[in-house]
Amino acid sequence: MRTAPTILHLDMDAFFASAEQASKPSLRGKAVVVGGLGPRGVVATASYEARVFGVHSAMPMAQARRLAPNAAYLVPRFAFYRSISERVMGLLRALSPLVEPLSLDEAFVDLEAGGAAWDAESARLAGTRLRADIRAVTGLTGSVGLAASKMLAKIGSEQAKPDGLVLIEPGTERALLGPLSVRTLPGVGPATGDHLRRAGIHTVEEIAEAGEDELVRLLGKAHGHALYAMALAQDDRPVVAERETKSVSVEDTYDVDIHDRLRVALEVQRLADRCVGRLRGAGLSGRTIVLKVRRYDFSTLTRSETLRGPTDDPAVIREAAARLLDSVDTTGGVRLLGVGVSGLADYTQEDLFAQAAGAQASPAEEHPEEPAERQPAPTERRWPAGHDVRHAEYGHGWVQGSGLGRVTVRFETPDSAPGRVRTFLMDDPDLEPAEPLPLVPAVPPVQPVPPAQLSSGPEPEPASLPKWWSGTVGGGATSRP
């Protein structure tokens, strides 16, 4: 186990909500909640202004609305967040070849492997420069933890939030961990935490005092040994640059239970196509097709079928998902559907049975026309709250809300003053969906700093952001708490 605090953990601060605030001047300094907006939606991220009211990730959206009725509630823009994440990960890879992403907004970095740090002083300087670079490149803030192990570095970044840096000096680990809750340690979830609590163990220090034998008796050999070692601040897990993807899946939760069998089948086909899109985007294929169905009574059924070889053929995956659906009773209603592919590979093997069937079928049989009475009705244009639009006359803006045949848009850009609000008919031909605008002007890629150039001089000042506007948002939908 290393002794120098050269493992860095980065966690972007309230990432989705902060990205929305940075791109929408009228929301800066306001309570912002990002997530599913339907009756069954959950909170993905809440800004720090919203957390004051008790709103937090994974909370039901209905509960969040009761706690913070005046917050801005927005639908996630994952492509936008991914583009920001790629720039942040590029900064991390400039520091070291050993970067282990955990999600879009979180990663470990082995600074020693890249020669970016070798002791506490150089590690602190590298972390400070990284935070300044992130702010300059994205306009957002991130919190950094530095320690001799992954577990401690992550704890450090949690203590650093928001927009801070915590370095855990070697030799101080036990004193830091002792008073913390057992839930702080990796692998201690609600169930394990409750089990330990019933045994009278509430803190990390009490885990160490209980002893290894008692933990093995309570939790089993593997978990007990691992938890005792972590309570003693022993964690030798390395930073792993490539995390193997084990499956690719998509799922949707519906605001109203789906009872129509044809509608369920069409949703499964749509999910299968989305899953194929993700597969191909990652350059992968898979052998096992998985269907997930959560019914009206919250019972969840999973069905799977393993093919002869890996595939990314949308027709093959759609057909397999349809066969799996045939084995599931959906008469009571469906609240969630999902399609996934596992047994992944980076190559495909043609499905000979599908090819043979295709060779025997006529074009009409391959693509039978839907009966006239089953043709889906033209769908109304959807305008998700928070998503980007462009108007022929007023320019770039974002959807503040929609309903009753109208859509309300606030016209502003990341570098503008808070914009004005206008309302249009949903089918207004001058209004179209748009791509997100960058948060800050493009900057040259950051080059790694050679170790010889690192010094113990003054820490650089973080790049400054445009001053956040603190006025009142029109309409009362996002007024300041």
Side-chain angles (χ1 to χ4, degrees):
M1 182 174 174
R2 73 182 70 198
T3 57
T6 54
I7 290 182
L8 179 149
H9 181 262
L10 170 71
D11 198 349
M12 300 294 289
D13 300 321
F15 181 47
F16 295 173
S18 294
E20 296 296 347
Q21 289 175 320
S23 67
K24 299 173 172 63
S26 56
L27 296 186
R28 293 172 185 169
K30 312 300 179 185
V32 174
V33 181
V34 179
L37 302 190
R40 294 171 180 165
V42 297
V43 175
T45 308
S47 70
Y48 286 97
E49 296 86 354
R51 296 181 192 188
V52 171
F53 297 95
V55 180
H56 58 77
S57 299
M59 172 182 285
M61 191 61 76
Q63 182 181 356
R65 288 185 183 275
R66 289 193 295 270
L67 293 172
N70 293 325
Y73 289 87
L74 308 177
V75 176
R77 297 184 293 163
F78 289 111
F80 176 55
Y81 309 144
R82 193 172 296 112
S83 68
I84 301 173
S85 175
E86 289 170 356
R87 303 193 76 179
V88 173
M89 295 302 165
L91 293 173
L92 300 183
R93 294 187 179 98
L95 289 173
S96 172
L98 289 184
V99 176
E100 182 178 341
L102 304 180
S103 62
L104 290 177
D105 60 343
E106 186 180 3
F108 287 109
V109 184
D110 188 331
L111 297 175
E112 188 174 6
W118 52 90
D119 59 11
E121 189 175 355
S122 58
R124 185 185 297 276
L125 182 59
T128 301
R129 287 181 170 172
L130 172 65
R131 291 177 56 234
D133 287 343
I134 289 173
R135 186 185 287 263
V137 169
T138 69
L140 304 179
T141 63
S143 296
V144 167
L146 293 157
S149 69
K150 291 169 70 172
M151 176 186 74
L152 290 166
K154 183 173 176 61
I155 290 172
S157 69
E158 286 296 321
Q159 295 189 341
K161 283 186 168 294
D163 191 20
L165 182 152
V166 167
L167 185 146
I168 299 175
E169 294 278 1
T172 66
E173 297 93 344
R174 290 286 302 276
L176 171 73
L177 286 174
L180 299 180
S181 165
V182 295
R183 291 290 304 276
T184 305
L185 300 181
V188 181
T192 302
D194 287 344
H195 198 50
L196 292 171
R197 179 180 52 79
R198 288 193 294 271
I201 299 173
H202 302 85
T203 67
V204 175
E205 182 60 32
E206 288 171 345
I207 290 178
E209 291 173 351
E212 190 169 13
D213 291 342
E214 176 65 8
L215 289 171
V216 169
R217 186 187 70 80
L218 288 171
L219 305 175
K221 187 174 181 180
H223 201 182
H225 284 312
L227 201 58
Y228 181 70
M230 287 188 288
L232 299 180
Q234 298 171 2
D235 176 24
D236 57 1
R237 294 173 300 159
V239 176
V240 180
E242 296 295 334
R243 294 166 60 88
E244 181 182 0
T245 302
K246 295 183 179 180
S247 65
V248 173
S249 63
V250 296
E251 63 181 42
D252 275 344
T253 301
Y254 303 99
D255 295 341
V256 178
D257 290 348
I258 302 175
H259 293 83
D260 180 47
R261 183 73 179 188
L262 175 60
R263 168 81 189 282
V264 173
L266 290 174
E267 288 294 316
V268 168
Q269 299 295 291
R270 184 178 60 83
L271 289 166
D273 288 340
R274 282 174 53 195
C275 187
V276 168
R278 289 194 179 183
L279 271 178
R280 291 184 168 180
L284 297 170
S285 60
R287 298 181 66 239
T288 302
I289 315 303
V290 181
L291 175 70
K292 178 180 176 182
V293 180
R294 181 167 297 149
R295 300 189 292 189
Y296 69 99
D297 57 357
F298 286 89
S299 61
T300 303
L301 305 177
T302 303
R303 300 287 185 266
S304 64
E305 174 181 323
T306 300
L307 308 175
R308 296 175 60 251
T311 184
D312 64 354
D313 186 329
V316 173
I317 294 175
R318 281 196 300 265
E319 290 168 5
R323 287 193 295 271
L324 295 171
L325 180 62
D326 287 341
S327 66
V328 178
D329 179 11
T330 62
T331 52
V334 170
R335 60 187 293 120
L336 177 147
L337 290 169
V339 174
V341 178
S342 60
L344 301 180
D346 56 2
Y347 64 93
T348 62
Q349 178 176 316
E350 297 297 332
D351 189 303
L352 301 181
F353 294 115
Q355 283 187 342
Q360 296 171 6
S362 67
E365 292 171 328
E366 287 182 304
H367 306 284
E369 290 191 6
E370 194 80 23
E373 64 272 18
R374 291 189 176 183
Q375 287 288 352
T379 57
E380 185 181 51
R381 298 176 75 186
R382 295 182 65 251
W383 302 103
H387 281 225
D388 298 84
V389 295
R390 175 167 291 279
H391 191 272
E393 180 180 354
Y394 301 108
H396 192 94
W398 58 277
V399 176
Q400 190 163 284
S402 63
L404 301 177
R406 289 174 171 78
V407 54
T408 299
V409 177
R410 185 179 288 275
F411 291 98
E412 60 187 5
T413 60
D415 58 352
S416 74
R420 299 188 63 178
V421 174
R422 296 184 182 276
T423 299
F424 308 91
L425 294 176
M426 281 192 174
D427 58 357
D428 190 320
D430 289 338
L431 190 66
E432 294 292 339
E435 293 297 320
L437 298 176
L439 297 184
V440 295
V443 296
V446 176
Q447 299 299 322
V449 180
Q453 294 182 19
L454 290 173
S455 68
S456 58
E459 294 181 350
E461 290 293 329
S464 61
L465 280 174
K467 183 178 180 181
W468 280 13
W469 179 72
S470 59
T472 302
V473 177
T478 54
S479 59
R480 190 181 181 90

